[in-house]
Amino acid sequence: MNRRDFLKATGMSTAALALGTTGLMSLGEYKVFAGTGKNSKAAGRYGPLVKDPGGVMDLPRGFQYRIISEEGGKLSDGRPIPAKFDGMAAYAGPNNSTVLVRNHELSGNTQYPVIGKNPYRREETGGTTSLVVGPDRKLRKEYVSSSGTIRNCAGGATPWGTWLTCEETLEEGHGYVFEVDPHDPENKLSKTPIRDMGAFSHEATAIDPATGIVYLTEDAGPSYLYRFLPNDRSQRAGALQKGGQLQAAAIEEMSTKETSEFYTGRKYDIVWKDVDPDKPTLDAGKKGCIAFSRLEGAYFEGGVFWFDDTSAGDKSLGRVYRYIPSTNTLELFYESTDQNDLEMPDNICITPWGDLWIAEDGGGVDRVIGITPEGETYVFAENKLNNSELAGPTFSTDGRTFFINVQSPGMTFAIWGPFKRKNAARRRLMGHATPPAAYAPKVSDKLSAFAEVQGMSDLEAVAFERHGLPIL
């Protein structure tokens, strides 16, 4: 959809647009004044959603947005802004600015490819761009930061200030993770695959800052949960290139005799099995690792690794898990059984004040859904422009601006308003909170009683039960 078609579709006139700092026409900021949200669950932490008069993004009262980048516009050097916006992270920049690194899920011929000066493979059209956004939330600069890759879907920020961009492909010579420095674009590191992290259909990554262990999700069917044990734990740019061991998660194997005596108090555990990085999916399957439906988002916060399975469950509406490394505990936190509750969770994050935010990719009116540590749920945003997914939710380092993408036509939004203040203790609390009753996985009385006797939580017991372990 070009700009003229967009204006026609939304019924807006050019008088409703503002001239951006790059000379591009882009939607200007505005306040939402009136209206009510159609979903009753929107009346949560920030109140019901207000209808956007432009028909683009519904937000709660008091919040504003600005579209700071659109596919087909112009980068700072005059080249077109690439299409298919996806995963993203925010970093502190000079003079109180924010630097965003944004993925482009592109492959093959495309109208708006990523064209870089130092590509991994010159014939490929994927990669990343970076945006420098001032404290006034206006775009200052936009440029290519890596190129020559395929289907850069998600990835993850590192504790040392770089971005791991992941290729979601099985094409020969691809399917790798690359490290991008937002302050040193298109350097040698950005075009060097981290081969020991495996060649598979990568989705997202998240790093435990206490250990330097990298957790990785796979977007395939079936898909597996991996972790990467780096040889170099110095947590600096380039350290992951020094190799390490790739492993996949499995449920601890028990003999028939051990299973029959499970009532004595022995718990099941997660074990991590070494896999061949050149064929990890095949190896994980042969070694009996946990087969998920299709893994997507990943986020690490407060000692807890969060991830989701976008098409799992009886109705294929998705699940959200959390893994706690210190106790080696896998829990099924959230299991959707109704499209109005959650439809196909994708990218996830923990907000600066401690709520879990989930971006949907359900093929309809996609939303950002929030869950509080106290068990409250709410809808923060709805994409009204088209049926394209929301992607790349991330907050500026000061916690005052929320950035998110609409994938197609590609748009990057800066959203601000009466956000809660940063709260580190509450962020840690979210990792151990009880899920909202309506959203939690359904557990039979028998399974719950059995879990209590064995010293397991319901969430831990149901995670094993959903993956075929006959613990009853």
Side-chain angles (χ1 to χ4, degrees), residues 127-139:
T128 64
T129 52
S130 294
L131 299 79
V132 180
V133 184
D136 58 358
R137 303 179 178 93
K138 293 182 179 179
L139 186 68

Side-chain angles (χ1 to χ4, degrees), residues 145-224:
S145 45
S146 71
S147 61
T149 47
I150 294 177
R151 291 182 60 83
N152 297 67
C153 189
T158 70
W160 53 92
T162 60
W163 168 251
L164 299 181
T165 183
C166 296
E167 291 186 301
E168 185 192 314
T169 181
L170 296 174
E171 187 166 327
E172 186 176 357
H174 291 273
Y176 294 116
V177 178
F178 298 78
E179 187 171 11
V180 179
D181 187 338
H183 303 292
D184 186 13
E186 298 194 87
N187 62 9
K188 182 178 179 181
L189 201 61
S190 73
K191 68 171 188 177
T192 307
I194 307 173
R195 296 185 183 276
D196 279 4
M197 277 190 172
F200 60 91
S201 186
H202 283 273
E203 179 64 29
T205 69
I207 298 177
D208 182 349
T211 63
I213 293 174
V214 185
Y215 293 89
L216 309 99
T217 59
E218 179 179 26
D219 190 342
S223 61
Y224 298 94

